[in-house]
Amino acid sequence: MALSSLLIYEGNILTWRNKDCRVSVPSAPGWKLFGRVPPKESPQKDPKKIQQDYEARIAKSEKAATGQTPSRKDLDFEPLSTTALILEQRPAHLPAKPVEEMQRHQELYAEMVSQAKKREAREAQRQKQLMQERCKKEDSIISTLAVWNTEILPNWEQTCNSRKVRDLWWQGIPPSIRGKIWSLAIGNELNITPELYEIFLSRAKEKWRSYSDSGSDSENGDVGCNGADRESSLELISLDISRTFPSLCIFQKRGPYHDILQSVLGAYTCYRPDVGYVQGMSFLAAVLLLNLDVADAFITFANLLNKPCQMAFFRVDHPLMLKYFEAFELFFEENLPRLFSHFKTSNLTPDLYLIDWIFTLYSKALPLDVACRVWDVFCRDGEEFLFRTALGILRLYQDVLLSTDFLQGAQFLTRLPDNIAAQPLFAAIGTINMQNKHGKWSQVFSALQKDRRDSEKSGSP
C-alpha cells in the first residue's frame, strides 16, 4: 500500500512538472520543490554604483595591505578581460602589487595600445589607398569607354592608327568592348560567316557521333599522324578542354562553357583539316569566348591562327620557327646583354620557354587579366609585341634569372609567379627597344627569311 501510494505521489509530481515546465533547473530562483512561489524582486543596480563599490573595496584592501591609497585618476575605463590583469590590483586575498610593478604594467599596456592603434591606422590607410586607386581606375575606365564608344569606334578606319588611340590601346581596352576591338583589329581576311561556322560545326558533330558509334578504335591509330587530314584530332579536343583555365571551372566537364569551347575547336578542326587541333588552341579559343559571342569568337579565332607567326608555330614549321628564335635572340642580346650571356652559358635556349608563350599568347603563363592586356597591344602591334613581351618578362625577373642554373631557369620560365601585375610588367616591356642596328623587328625578320630562302636555293644547309 505504501509503495503504490509512493508511486502515485511520484506520478503526480511528474504530471505537474510536465504541465508547467518553464524552467529546466528545479532549484532556479522563484521555485520550491513542491510548488511555485513569486520570484524575489532584486532592485536594479546602477552600473556606476557597482563600479564605485568595486573601487571602494579595492582601495580598502590596498590601504589595509600597504597603508597607501592608490590613485585612479587616469583610469577612466572599466576593467574588462585581460586588461584587468595589467591595470588592476590583485584580489584582496593575494599580496598587493608593488607601486613600481603597477607602473611598469601600465606602461606596457600603454605601449601595447599605442602599437595596436598604429597598426590599425596603417591598415586603415592601406584600405583607403586601395579604395582610392580602385575608384580612380573605375573612373578612368568609364571615361575611356566613353571615348572609345563616341570617338573611336564610329570612325574606326580613320582613327585606329592615330597617336591618341595607340596610347589608349597601351593603357588597356575597357573589358566591355575588348572583344569588339580585338575582332576589328584582327579582321576577317578569310571572309568567314556565321553560317559557315554552323556548317563546320555540323560536320564536327557528325564526326563525334561516328566516333561514339564505332568506339573510335579504327581511328585511334591515325590521330595526329595523317598530315593531309587531321580531322581525326577531334578526339584530342575533349581531353585538352578540361586543362583549360581549371581555376575558372567554366570550361570543365558540365561547366557552362565546356560544350561551347568544344564546338568552336571542333568546327575549326573541320574548317582547317590541314592544321587540325593542336594543344594550346583551347586557351586561345577560351579567351575569345570570354569576350565574344560564339560565332564571332570562331571567326576571330580562325583569322588569328591564320597570322604568319601563329601558323608557323601551330603547323610546326621548324625552319621558320628557328628564324623567329634567331630574330628574338638578336633583340635579346641588344636589350639584356648580361642575361643573354648567362643563358648562353647555361645553354637555356628560347624554344624552352617561348613555344608555350607563343602557342597560348601568354594566356596560360600570365594571370588572365594581365594576359588580356598583352592581347590588347598584340592586336595593335602584331607578332612583334609577343617577342617584346617575352623580353619584358625576362627584364622584370632578370635579377632572379641571373642567379639560376639551367634547370632552375627553365622551371622558373615555364611556371612564372602567379602574382605578376600588369603595371610592373608593362613598365618593363616599355623599356624594351625593338629596333637595333639592323632595323626594326619586321626588317630583321624579313632579312633572316631572305637568307633562309637564298640558302635553300643554293642548296647549302
Side-chain angles (χ1 to χ4, degrees):
M1 181 67 180
L3 180 59
S4 60
S5 300
L6 180 59
L7 290 173
I8 293 171
Y9 183 66
E10 289 185 351
N12 290 337
I13 292 176
L14 294 176
T15 303
W16 169 78
R17 287 288 305 279
N18 287 334
K19 288 179 180 177
D20 194 1
C21 186
R22 300 182 195 175
V23 181
S24 60
V25 183
S27 59
W31 288 88
K32 292 203 312 183
L33 182 59
F34 295 108
R36 186 180 180 186
V37 297
K40 295 180 179 180
E41 294 184 1
S42 57
Q44 292 284 5
K45 291 187 177 181
D46 184 11
K48 292 184 178 180
K49 182 68 168 61
I50 296 174
Q51 176 69 13
Q52 291 172 359
D53 293 344
Y54 170 78
E55 292 179 0
R57 288 197 304 272
I58 294 297
K60 186 177 180 180
S61 62
E62 288 176 351
K63 187 175 181 180
T66 62
Q68 298 179 2
T69 303
S71 174
R72 293 269 320 261
K73 292 180 182 178
D74 298 330
L75 306 181
D76 55 348
F77 55 84
E78 199 171 324
L80 299 172
S81 185
T82 54
T83 305
L85 299 179
I86 299 174
L87 295 177
E88 297 305 315
Q89 292 292 340
R90 296 168 181 160
H93 62 281
L94 294 177
K97 288 183 182 180
V99 177
E100 296 80 4
E101 183 181 358
M102 184 70 176
Q103 185 177 358
R104 186 172 69 254
H105 286 177
Q106 291 176 351
E107 292 173 354
L108 289 172
Y109 176 73
E111 180 64 22
M112 289 166 57
V113 172
S114 175
Q115 293 296 330
K117 287 182 177 179
K118 288 179 181 178
R119 285 195 300 270
E120 290 175 0
R122 286 196 299 268
E123 178 62 20
Q125 183 65 26
R126 189 182 72 85
Q127 292 294 339
K128 182 180 178 181
Q129 186 175 358
L130 288 174
M131 183 60 68
Q132 289 174 344
E133 291 176 357
R134 189 177 306 161
C135 293
K136 184 178 179 181
K137 185 176 180 181
E138 290 175 356
D139 293 341
S140 175
I141 291 174
I142 293 171
S143 60
T144 304
L145 180 61
V147 174
W148 280 98
N149 282 327
T150 59
E151 300 179 21
I152 300 172
L153 287 175
N155 308 292
W156 176 256
E157 296 296 333
Q158 295 78 25
T159 60
C160 63
N161 292 318
S162 65
R163 180 68 181 177
K164 177 182 178 181
V165 174
R166 291 180 66 84
D167 290 342
L168 288 174
W169 226 320
W170 179 268
Q171 296 168 16
I173 300 172
S176 60
I177 59 169
R178 177 169 273 149
K180 188 173 184 178
I181 302 299
W182 289 355
S183 180
L184 288 170
I186 292 172
N188 187 14
E189 294 180 354
L190 299 174
N191 294 319
I192 302 174
T193 62
E195 291 75 21
L196 191 64
Y197 164 67
E198 294 295 337
I199 291 171
F200 285 106
L201 176 59
S202 299
R203 183 170 180 176
K205 289 180 177 179
E206 290 176 5
K207 284 276 187 179
W208 279 320
R209 277 195 296 269
S210 66
Y211 292 150
S212 178
D213 294 341
S214 64
S216 68
D217 293 334
S218 60
E219 288 89 350
N220 276 342
D222 297 331
V223 174
C225 298
N226 187 352
D229 183 3
R230 299 186 185 179
E231 285 189 9
S232 54
S233 63
L234 280 167
E235 294 180 286
L236 302 177
I237 294 174
S238 58
L239 299 176
D240 208 25
I241 289 178
S242 61
R243 296 191 285 262
T244 305
F245 295 122
S247 60
L248 296 183
C249 302
I250 59 176
F251 297 107
Q252 281 60 52
K253 195 71 174 177
R254 292 184 293 276
Y257 277 78
H258 177 273
D259 294 342
I260 298 173
L261 179 57
Q262 188 176 36
S263 297
V264 170
L265 296 172
Y268 179 79
T269 303
C270 292
Y271 172 70
R272 290 297 300 265
D274 57 319
V275 179
Y277 176 76
V278 181
Q279 192 173 19
M281 287 182 178
S282 62
F283 281 89
L284 303 183
V287 172
L288 291 172
L289 283 171
L290 291 174
N291 292 277
L292 288 164
D293 294 335
V294 179
D296 292 332
F298 173 78
I299 294 170
T300 306
F301 178 68
N303 282 276
L304 172 63
L305 295 189
N306 199 51
K307 301 293 182 183
C309 181
Q310 277 63 50
M311 191 56 67
F313 277 79
F314 280 110
R315 297 192 72 171
V316 197
D317 186 340
H318 287 290
L320 192 53
M321 290 171 66
L322 290 175
K323 292 303 175 184
Y324 275 109
F325 295 149
E326 188 177 347
F328 171 76
E329 288 195 304
L330 289 175
F331 288 93
F332 187 2
E333 184 178 14
E334 185 84 16
N335 285 276
L336 304 168
R338 285 181 60 215
L339 188 59
F340 176 80
S341 176
H342 177 70
F343 275 22
K344 282 293 185 183
T345 304
S346 304
N347 200 28
L348 194 59
T349 54
D351 58 292
L352 293 173
Y353 51 91
L354 269 185
I355 289 179
D356 186 60
W357 292 355
I358 302 299
F359 262 98
T360 62
L361 298 185
Y362 298 95
S363 57
K364 183 180 177 183
L366 298 175
L368 185 56
D369 60 326
V370 181
C372 286
R373 286 285 306 277
V374 172
W375 279 51
D376 290 344
V377 188
F378 162 68
C379 290
R380 185 194 77 174
D381 295 348
E383 64 185 39
E384 172 188 320
F385 190 72
L386 298 179
F387 298 94
R388 189 181 179 190
T389 299
L391 293 174
I393 292 173
L394 296 179
R395 179 181 288 280
L396 183 63
Y397 294 107
Q398 180 174 213
D399 294 339
V400 176
L401 292 168
L402 283 171
S403 63
T404 61
D405 55 20
F406 169 81
L407 183 60
Q408 293 170 336
Q411 289 176 339
F412 183 88
L413 292 173
T414 53
R415 189 174 180 82
L416 294 172
D418 297 331
N419 60 348
I420 298 180
Q423 186 174 354
L425 175 60
F426 273 76
I429 295 173
T431 63
I432 301 299
N433 183 16
M434 295 302 284
Q435 183 171 355
N436 59 16
K437 59 184 179 181
H438 302 292
K440 297 180 180 180
W441 167 269
S442 57
Q443 296 170 322
V444 171
F445 184 70
S446 296
L448 292 173
Q449 279 186 301
K450 184 176 182 298
D451 293 343
R452 172 197 169 195
R453 288 191 293 267
D454 292 343
S455 63
E456 288 176 350
K457 288 179 181 179
S458 62
S460 59

